[in-house]
Structure formats: C-alpha cells, structure tokens
Amino acid sequence: MTTALARKLALTGYLGLIAWVALWHGVISPHPQLGAGFMLAMWLPWLFIPMPGMLKGNPYTHAWAVFLIMPYFLHSLTLLWVDEGERWLALVELLLATTMFVGSTYYAKLRGRELGLSIRKKKKD
C-alpha cells in the first residue's frame, strides 16, 4: 500500500462517515422517540474533532483518530446483529468505519516512516 492510497482511503472513510451519520440519523431513519436533533448531537460532533489534522495529513492525528471511530464501528456491528430493519444502514457505516480504520492506520505508519517519526526499539544492554 502506498502513502497516497492510504490517505485516500482514510479521507474517503472519514468524510463518508460524517456524511453518512448526518444522512442516517437526520434524514433516512431518524429515531422515533429521541428525535433527529438529539441523535445528530450525540453522534456527529465527535467526528469533527480530528478534522483539521486529517485534512492537513498529520500522521499523528490519523493514528489517534482511529480510536474515535471505534464507537461507530461497534454501533454498526451491534445493529447488524440485532436490528433487521436497519441492517443495510449499519453495513454502510461499518464499511466506512473500516475504510477509515485501515486507511488511517496505514497512513500513520507509512507517512510517519517518511518523516522519521517511527518509534525506536530499545537497545539491549
């Protein structure tokens, strides 16, 4: 995998996840009891935290942004298992979260190496 491909995967998954969460919880299938506004306020703001670093291509931001998408990953897996009505919605969320995870992980590793930011191994005494 190349650095450029990893970055494209990371940004595709990231920006796609932002758009998908907004569409899903705001338009396609808003929660009947909680309302679209509450669901968007609960799911969407967390995705904007890493935006400046993701758009700049900061490998450190790509590395820790992987942790921010884990709730979306788990949410989609849970809905795939328990909610037949929203399975296809959860599948799209899972694909986008996985794309971001893979792309960000590889981008952080490859770009970090290019910049000389790798973690050094301990010397044996």
Side-chain angles (χ1 to χ4, degrees):
M1 177 165 314
T2 65
T3 306
L5 176 60
R7 179 153 164 74
K8 286 178 187 174
L9 285 174
L11 288 177
T12 299
Y14 174 64
L15 297 172
L17 195 58
I18 290 173
W20 184 249
V21 168
L23 281 172
W24 180 358
H25 296 296
V27 178
I28 297 172
S29 180
H31 197 280
Q33 285 88 24
L34 299 176
F38 177 78
M39 292 302 286
L40 289 174
M42 188 174 81
W43 285 103
L44 209 50
W46 305 105
L47 291 173
F48 290 106
I49 294 171
M51 186 173 275
M54 292 286 288
L55 295 179
K56 287 179 188 172
N58 185 342
Y60 181 74
T61 305
H62 279 77
W64 64 258
V66 167
F67 294 106
L68 284 179
I69 62 161
M70 286 301 113
Y72 302 90
F73 187 77
L74 294 172
H75 175 253
S76 62
L77 286 176
T78 302
L79 286 181
L80 279 171
W81 185 262
V82 300
D83 191 353
E84 291 178 21
E86 294 196 343
R87 264 196 191 134
W88 74 274
L89 300 167
L91 184 61
V92 173
E93 183 181 36
L94 179 63
L95 291 172
L96 290 168
T98 302
T99 301
M100 181 184 165
F101 179 85
V102 170
S104 289
T105 302
Y106 274 101
Y107 180 77
K109 178 182 177 181
L110 297 172
R111 185 66 181 143
R113 280 186 187 165
E114 291 172 2
L115 297 173
L117 301 175
S118 63
I119 298 173
R120 309 222 188 284
K121 292 183 181 178
K122 274 188 163 182
K123 292 182 181 178
K124 293 184 180 181
D125 293 327

